[in-house]
Amino acid sequence: MTVEASASKLLCRSACLVLVLTLVIAGSGIQLAFPTLVSAQTRTVSHGNFTPSSAVKRLDNNTWLIGVEALLPPPDPGSAVIVANRDFKLPPNGTITKLQGTFGFVAPFGNTGYTSCTMPNAALGIISVDGKSIPFAVHVDSGGHRDRDMFFSYDVPIKYSEGNARVHVEANPLGCWSDVEIQALMRVEFH
């Protein structure tokens, strides 16, 4: 399979993921469809890390700051994407009432003379608590548009009980380094 065919197949899967996530959100509230998709289609992933300064911090009784960045190397050979996760804990029995911020993605990052990074790229971000998720995705083309930043604002209430939360990002930079960043504020009310 050629690199172009692999990239086309990966982009098609990414577009299908965004469509399915949109349908799940629209049809039955915000429930994480991602694990269902992953288990239905086994895929190999590489694991990266968030930078040491990345953090989720409580600013006051009801507000959290999410400030994370992952400088991700190319996925290992045979991997579809590279992922990074940061787990955090929210107090139990709450409702996320607002999540607002920016999601940014750059590929290639660093040496822009990469010759192996000529294909379109994509990044997915998910903030979840107790398996309920808020997803967002960005895509960059193979031309001069290699950097995307998007503003997001969700105010659909998400009730949770345990407070097991995670910031998840993944990218398919196809042979080059990428930078994925989330800067957000999250409002949580308690029952």
Side-chain angles (χ1 to χ4, degrees), residues 34 38 43-48 75-76 78-83 168 170:
F34 193 66
V38 171
R43 65 184 186 150
T44 303
V45 300
S46 300
H47 294 275
D76 294 334
S79 293
V81 296
I82 185 160
V83 303
H168 170 91
E170 61 182 62

Side-chain angles (χ1 to χ4, degrees), residues 20-37:
V20 169
L21 287 172
T22 302
L23 292 173
V24 169
I25 290 169
S28 64
I30 298 177
Q31 293 290 326
L32 182 59
F34 193 66
T36 305
L37 291 173

Side-chain angles (χ1 to χ4, degrees), residues 51-102:
T51 60
S53 61
S54 295
V56 178
K57 296 180 181 179
R58 190 173 191 171
L59 298 179
D60 62 33
N61 287 339
N62 299 93
T63 309
W64 275 258
L65 169 70
I66 300 171
V68 296
E69 180 180 25
L71 302 173
L72 300 172
D76 294 334
S79 293
V81 296
I82 185 160
V83 303
N85 294 304
R86 174 162 304 265
D87 294 330
F88 63 100
K89 187 77 170 163
L90 294 172
N93 301 316
T95 300
I96 298 173
T97 58
K98 183 78 169 178
L99 177 65
Q100 182 171 305
T102 59

